[in-house]
Each structure stands twice: as structure tokens, then as C-alpha cells.
């Protein structure tokens, strides 16, 4: 991967609740604004991204949500049908064998099978789909499941390879492994917030991601930063307007709140420095939109995040 450039498939990983979907949507919107065709691939119970763009929730079929930007929500059943019918051209076999409820139950129980199908879908979307269906995406942004499950996706080719699979599954596994192993084809971006649990989980899984890919995540995103507050003096008395209201009964509460922001700002800077030293494209802080707008809409939050992520594609 050329420094400053992101490959066609970008996995957005992070602990639950850190804003993975927001960052995935922001990244996709940024690439689309550059004139690229982008797909946000989700694997969620319910699609949260489409409503942010004023669209109904998407299913497995990709649905446009903005110019140049589409999204889809993965299901293993739909992926199987697409694989056998559209990719292999085995419609009759799919109807008589694969769609059988006993076969479906067996595939759902097979360890790693749904994950392999998900990764295979991503590989197909960025390679074979162009020739088979005329589809073409410059980037597929993967809004991955929460960190533990998301990191496990990266291990699927290694795990399934030990099972001694043959035939079509072995071929699919080899293709997925090649996609994940190639930094020109795939990359991982990790999202965290300054909260202790989120940071500790990021520190815990970072080496695992690097081990599975044989390279580290390309960037770390520190979401919901207090950077929008700007420079914070040592205490509320040093901040003119705050000192004016920090009087009487309100003083103690404002002092504590201000001290919290000062500590958080210092911690965020230390975290950005820490993760910048681990990731090729560094660490980026995305400000908490609530510190700028009284009641930002989800679309406004995504737009602000897109602006903050500019360094990720400045050389793309």
C-alpha cells in the first residue's frame, strides 16, 4: 500500500459503542465526495446507516443512500444464494441441495462458515462482480461486528485452512486469504474512544490484528474527542468567561467539570501519540459533535467526522 492511500477493502473495527458505523459512514461519504463508487458493507441486526441519509434500512442487495454511496447488510442465506446462483451459475443445484433446510442448518452450525461467506462476498464485490454482473466499487468499507467478532473475521482463512477443506470451499478460502494478506487489497482501521474500557480493548486486540494480517492496522481513530474545546488553561479561574459564571453554588460543580475536560484532553493527546507510533497512517481525533452543536443530527455527526478523516485519503 502506498503511504497515504487506502486499499479497496477497509475493515472498520472497534469495541461496541465507539462509533464504528459513524466512522464507516464518514469514510464512505468522503470517498464518494471524491467521485468514487463506494459500498458500506454492514453485518448488523438492523442497518443503522441508511436512516442517517434519509433512506429506509437496506437488506442484502446494495442500495444507494447518496451519490456514489451505497450500503448493504450481510446475511449468510443471501450470500449463499448469490454465490451458487450468480457466481457459479448453479441455480438448480442451489434450489435442490443448498436451499434444503437440513443443509442450511448444517452450514449455520459449521464454525467460521458465515464469516467465510462474508469475507468471500467482500472479495467478490471488489474483483469478480465487475465481470459477472457489471458491478464495480472503488472501495468497500466494512462496518465490522464488535471487536472480538470483528477481529475473528481476520483469522477465518487460517482456521478454515486447518480443517482440510476441499473443492469450492478450499478455493474460496484461498481467495479470501489472498485478499487479507495483500496490503494493496485490504486494510484495518481501528476506532476507539478515550474511555478506559475502549482503550484497553484496543490495546488488547491491536497485536492480534497485526498477527493475523502480518501487519498493523493502518490507522487509529479516537472518536468523541474534546479537541473542539481548544486549548484549556490550567483551571476555570484562568478561563475568563468560565470564571465569570463559576461563582456561588455553581462553582464547585463547574470546577469539577472543567477539571474533567482538562484531564481528558491531556489523556487524548497521550493516546493519539501512542497509537500514532503504531499505525502507518497515524492516529486521528474526531471531535464530539455535541461540543459544537446543541442537537446534531446523525448526518451532521457523519459530516463532521468526514472532515476530520481527510488525512486518510489526502494522497489517494
Amino acid at each position: 500500500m502506498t503511504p497515504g492511500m487506502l486499499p479497496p477493502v477497509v475493515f472498520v473495527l472497534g469495541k461496541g459503542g465507539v462509533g464504528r458505523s459513524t466512522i464507516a459512514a464518514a469514510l464512505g461519504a468522503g470517498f464518494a465526495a471524491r467521485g468514487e463508487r463506494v459500498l458500506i458493507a454492514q453485518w448488523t441486526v438492523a442497518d443503522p446507516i441508511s436512516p442517517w441519509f434519509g433512506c429506509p434500512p437496506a437488506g442484502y442487495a446494495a442500495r444507494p443512500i447518496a451519490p456514489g454511496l451505497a450500503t448493504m447488510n450481510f446475511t449468510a442465506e443471501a450470500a449463499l444464494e448469490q454465490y451458487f446462483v450468480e457466481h457459479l451459475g448453479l441455480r438448480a443445484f442451489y434450489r435442490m441441495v443448498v436451499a434444503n433446510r437440513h443443509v442450511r442448518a448444517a452450514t449455520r452450525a459449521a464454525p467460521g462458515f458465515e464469516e467465510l461467506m462474508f469475507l468471500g462476498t467482500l472479495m467478490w464485490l471488489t474483483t469478480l462482480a465487475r465481470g459477472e454482473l457489471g458491478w464495480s466499487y472503488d472501495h468497500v468499507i466494512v462496518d465490522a461486528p464488535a471487536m472480538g467478532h470483528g477481529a475473528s473475521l481476520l483469522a477465518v482463512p487460517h482456521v478454515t485452512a486447518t480443517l482440510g477443506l476441499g473443492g469450492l470451499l478450499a478455493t474460496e478460502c484461498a481467495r479470501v486469504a489472498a485478499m487479507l494478506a495483500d496490503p494493496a487489497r485490504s486494510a484495518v482501521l481501528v476506532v476507539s474512544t478515550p474511555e478506559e474500557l475502549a482503550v484497553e480493548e484496543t490495546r488488547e486486540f491491536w497485536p492480534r490484528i497485526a498477527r493475523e494480517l502480518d501487519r498493523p492496522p493502518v490507522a487509529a481513530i479516537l472518536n468523541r474527542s474534546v479537541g473542539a474545546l481548544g486549548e484549556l488553561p490550567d483551571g476555570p479561574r484562568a478561563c475568563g468567561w468560565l470564571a465569570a459564571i463559576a461563582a456561588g453554588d455553581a462553582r464547585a460543580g463547574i470546577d469539577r467539570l472543567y477539571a474533567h475536560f482538562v484531564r481528558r484532553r491531556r489523556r487524548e493527546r497521550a493516546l493519539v501519540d501512542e497509537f500514532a507510533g503504531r499505525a502507518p497512517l497515524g492516529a486521528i481525533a474526531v471531535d464530539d459533535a455535541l461540543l459544537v452543536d446543541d442537537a446534531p443530527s446523525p448526518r451532521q455527526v457523519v459530516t463532521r467526522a468526514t472532515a476530520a478523516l481527510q488525512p486518510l485519503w489526502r494522497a489517494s
Side-chain angles (χ1 to χ4, degrees):
M1 182 178 69
T2 302
M5 297 185 69
L6 291 174
V9 179
V10 181
F11 292 85
V12 180
L13 269 61
K15 185 181 184 298
V18 299
R20 292 188 316 277
S21 296
T22 298
I23 299 303
L27 191 60
F31 279 119
R34 292 164 49 86
E36 300 189 23
R37 290 197 64 201
V38 186
L39 175 70
I40 302 173
Q42 306 176 69
W43 190 357
T44 60
V45 174
D47 163 24
I49 293 177
S50 294
W52 298 346
F53 290 80
C55 300
Y60 184 78
R63 174 180 293 170
I65 56 176
L69 183 62
T71 190
M72 55 87 72
N73 199 0
F74 172 82
T75 64
E77 291 80 5
L80 269 175
E81 181 175 0
Q82 184 183 68
Y83 180 72
F84 280 95
V85 175
E86 298 178 358
H87 176 45
L88 298 179
L90 301 176
R91 183 179 299 274
F93 177 80
Y94 171 79
R95 288 178 175 175
M96 291 186 292
V97 179
V98 181
N100 179 279
R101 63 186 180 90
H102 299 294
V103 175
R104 286 286 181 87
T107 56
R108 283 195 296 269
F113 183 79
E114 290 192 353
E115 288 80 0
L116 180 61
M117 291 303 301
F118 181 60
L119 293 171
T121 298
L122 303 177
M123 182 279 302
W124 180 78
L125 285 168
T126 54
T127 54
L128 305 176
R130 181 190 298 269
E132 293 179 6
L133 295 180
W135 295 356
S136 175
Y137 293 105
D138 300 301
H139 280 93
V140 175
I141 311 300
V142 185
D143 182 9
M147 182 70 90
H149 190 188
S152 296
L153 282 172
L154 308 177
V156 166
H158 300 154
V159 172
T160 52
T162 65
L163 300 178
L165 300 175
L168 294 175
L169 282 178
T171 300
E172 193 69 17
C173 187
R175 286 173 171 172
V176 167
M179 176 188 74
L180 293 178
D182 188 352
R185 296 177 62 191
S186 65
V188 170
L189 182 155
V190 175
V191 183
S192 183
T193 56
E195 282 74 24
E196 183 176 354
L197 289 178
V199 171
E200 289 307 312
E201 188 161 309
T202 299
R203 287 173 174 152
E204 176 187 352
F205 279 93
W206 193 284
R208 177 178 171 183
I209 295 168
R211 183 172 61 252
E212 298 295 351
L213 294 180
D214 198 27
R215 61 187 186 277
V218 293
I221 308 300
L222 192 66
N223 198 23
R224 300 178 192 140
S225 165
V226 299
L229 296 176
E231 293 299 321
L232 297 173
D234 290 338
R237 305 299 186 279
C239 184
W241 66 267
L242 191 56
I245 64 172
D249 294 339
R251 174 170 294 176
I254 290 177
D255 283 355
R256 286 194 293 271
L257 179 61
Y258 190 87
H260 165 77
F261 282 131
V262 170
R263 289 194 301 270
R264 180 162 175 150
R265 185 73 174 124
R266 289 172 180 167
R267 186 170 185 230
E268 287 178 8
R269 286 174 172 167
L271 289 171
V272 167
D273 290 342
E274 174 186 343
F275 289 113
R278 300 184 182 188
L281 300 186
I284 298 173
V286 177
D287 290 342
D288 190 331
L290 289 173
L291 297 176
V292 180
D293 299 307
D294 290 336
S297 68
R299 185 65 180 274
Q300 288 173 315
V301 173
V302 170
T303 299
R304 289 189 60 82
T306 298
L309 297 178
Q310 288 293 328
L312 290 180
W313 55 76
R314 61 178 178 268
S316 296

